[in-house]
Amino acid sequence: QVQLQESGPGLLKPSETLSLTCTVSGASISESYWSWIRQPAGKGLEWIGRIYIGGNTNYSPSLNSRVTMSQDTSKNQLSLKLSFVTAADTAVYYCVRDVNWSIGFGMDVWGQGTTVIVSS
Amino acid sequence: NVLTQSPGTLSLSRGERATLSCWTSQNVRNSNLAWYQQKPGQAPRLLIYGTSTRATGIPDRFSGSGSGTDFTLTISRLQPEDFAVYYCQQYGSSLVTFGGGTKVEIK
């Protein structure tokens, strides 16, 4: 059973860097695609980006200049960094497994999410 | 590619049929369209991928259809546990986009 667990500071000040870790169990991060999704309270889902085989990445154009994703295969962990945060970055952040089946794509395993609040 | 979901809120009774729409601003391959369900306080759950394939454990009252720029999620007979928010999602070549969501509420 694949499980994902996000962790990281829950409170940041404006202009700081958000840094989250996703610990994956039950699957190797080297063998799949992994996305980060966020959701402000009461709002919809926003794709931040994904990392996949070889550490390749795709980022949302709206966040591209501030986002860095990486992976530590020795620890089977994924990392998300978002620089220069503002209140607009306040949200629940999800780590997600992104699967390419032969007939379609989908995000089949989600972490429980971690809340990040940006406030001075 | 912008995804527009309609209606924003759907008020129905248990046992009724729910029809949720997702329109995309550009053509989407059938393999690249998915649907998710989200209940309050929970992470989203994959319902449908590849436009019409149910994910593991999803009841057959959920079905997906469509092509091009017009996609539909149908819940044939609403059960109490189906009242939730539903999101469509598309995969581009290097970009993923979600619709704004449809809330299915109890009438």
Side-chain angles (χ1 to χ4, degrees), chain B residues 2-44:
Chain B
V2 177
L3 274 63
T4 302
Q5 291 188 240
S6 178
T9 301
L10 197 52
S11 298
L12 295 168
S13 300
R14 179 179 179 174
E16 288 192 297
R17 181 185 189 91
T19 303
L20 287 67
S21 296
C22 176
W23 288 284
T24 63
S25 60
Q26 301 172 26
N27 277 340
V28 173
R29 291 182 181 179
N30 279 13
S31 61
N32 294 359
L33 197 289
W35 290 91
Y36 298 82
Q37 175 194 67
Q38 186 178 32
K39 298 178 182 179
Q42 297 183 16

Side-chain angles (χ1 to χ4, degrees), chain A residues 45, chain B residues 1-9 19-28 33-35 65 67-73 85-90 96-103:
Chain A
L45 302 168
Chain B
N1 195 356
V2 177
L3 274 63
T4 302
Q5 291 188 240
S6 178
T9 301
T19 303
L20 287 67
S21 296
C22 176
W23 288 284
T24 63
S25 60
Q26 301 172 26
N27 277 340
V28 173
L33 197 289
W35 290 91
S65 62
S67 64
T69 61
D70 189 356
F71 298 88
T72 300
L73 174 69
V85 179
Y86 294 83
Y87 296 95
C88 60
Q89 175 204 48
Q90 73 90 29
V96 174
T97 312
F98 288 93
T102 291
K103 181 179 181 180

